[in-house]
Amino acid sequence: MKKIEIKDYYDLETQSMLRVLYVGDQLFDWNIEGTEIEKAKRFCKSEESRRAIHANIQTHFLHCFSSFMGREVTLEELNIAIEKGVIND
Amino acid sequence: MIKLIEADQRFYIKQSTIPNAGLGLYAKHPVPKGSFIEIIGVLVERGSPADHCTAYANNYKFGSTQEGWVIVPMGYAGMINHTDDKLIQNVEIRHVKAKVPMKKRRELRDIISYTGEAVYFFLRDVPKDQEILGNYGHEWDNQVKWMKEHEKKYKKTEDEWVKFLKLGLYNMPVLSEKIPIELL
């Protein structure tokens, strides 16, 4: 079991504060660029397409987080872990 | 500055019969098979500053007969929606040089202009008030399939995703603001 926390982090690239995940003392370095969100926004003509974009981002996030953890992690597990403050290795 | 007027008087715009498609194009009068509606607009070179500056229209741009150029539509043809259903599709895109007899041009000079870059060709007679529906082709079909697959996935995980978004991690607040979702 490892500690999982949300901490504030100053992103030098975007020069903005972000709330990010730390597992143990390791930063999970992930983000979605504002320009990509703007591009995706232009594609959204309907609620269907907005949900599809969100699902796509969710898939990408979980894929990266699972790689970071070295095993598959579901969104449900992650939410519970964040609530409890610990996650299985 | 260019002033562009869509002068074709055969059509009008109204809410589309295709779900979630927004507005669509309809026939004001019966349109016979073999007619066409020209795709009017401006040509921009792919990858050029003009192409980048019209990125808002990327989902609407048409290929051109001129290699490396695309059409940013500015007339009725740009309002024609896509359908996979061959039974209700009544037009298709053709890249043709419109050859119109001079007599016809004179008759229609205040209604239609012909430059022959790209047209929607009428595959069948279209009665008055029927929606004009085309097929955007393979790329669009793929896009629609992608959207449906992802939307299905979203429905399964919506509660957890909304809970996760509320944590405000990374750039998710920007995502929630720019691409808001209604709860199912």
Side-chain angles (χ1 to χ4, degrees), chain A residues 6 14 18-22 27-34 37-38 40-59 61-62 75-76 78-80 82-83, chain B residues 19-21 55-57 59-60 81 136 140 143 146-148 150-151 153-155 157-172 174-176 178-184:
Chain A
I6 295 174
T14 58
L18 296 175
R19 282 162 59 84
V20 299
L21 286 173
Y22 274 81
L27 163 69
F28 173 52
D29 188 12
W30 181 91
N31 207 0
I32 175 168
E33 288 183 25
I37 296 174
E38 285 296 336
K41 185 183 167 184
R42 287 190 194 112
F43 171 71
C44 294
K45 296 201 293 178
S46 63
E47 188 57 27
E48 226 176 23
S49 55
R50 285 193 281 275
R51 289 197 283 264
I53 295 287
H54 274 256
N56 187 239
I57 290 167
Q58 184 194 138
T59 301
F61 175 85
L62 285 174
L75 192 54
E76 187 182 357
L78 177 60
N79 279 338
I80 292 170
I82 292 171
E83 217 171 318
Chain B
N20 301 316
Y56 58 84
N59 279 342
Y60 302 94
N81 284 316
Y136 295 174
W140 184 263
Q143 216 171 61
W146 177 90
M147 209 164 70
K148 284 183 177 162
H150 278 77
E151 210 225 358
K153 178 186 176 123
Y154 175 85
K155 283 177 181 170
T157 56
E158 193 205 15
D159 289 344
E160 292 298 334
W161 181 242
V162 168
K163 202 168 159 188
F164 181 76
L165 285 178
K166 284 179 179 168
L167 295 170
L169 297 173
Y170 301 97
N171 237 351
M172 301 299 189
V174 175
L175 173 67
S176 298
K178 299 275 182 187
I179 308 179
I181 36 174
E182 292 163 15
L183 291 178
L184 289 168

Side-chain angles (χ1 to χ4, degrees), chain B residues 9 12 17 29 31-32 42 50 54 67 71 74 89 96 100 103 105 108 110 119 137 140 142 147 151 159 172 182-183:
Chain B
Q9 295 173 23
Y12 65 94
T17 55
H29 312 289
V31 185
V42 293
T54 51
E67 184 70 37
I71 303 168
M74 292 184 177
Q89 180 189 347
V96 294
V100 182
K103 185 181 172 191
R105 284 189 190 233
L108 298 168
D110 293 329
V119 303
W140 184 263
N142 287 342
M147 209 164 70
E151 210 225 358
D159 289 344
M172 301 299 189
E182 292 163 15
L183 291 178

Side-chain angles (χ1 to χ4, degrees), chain B residues 96-114:
Chain B
V96 294
K97 266 286 181 214
K99 285 179 183 162
V100 182
M102 276 313 294
K103 185 181 172 191
K104 197 77 174 167
R105 284 189 190 233
R106 278 195 291 269
E107 266 173 39
L108 298 168
R109 69 167 175 264
D110 293 329
I111 300 169
I112 303 169
S113 69
Y114 300 103

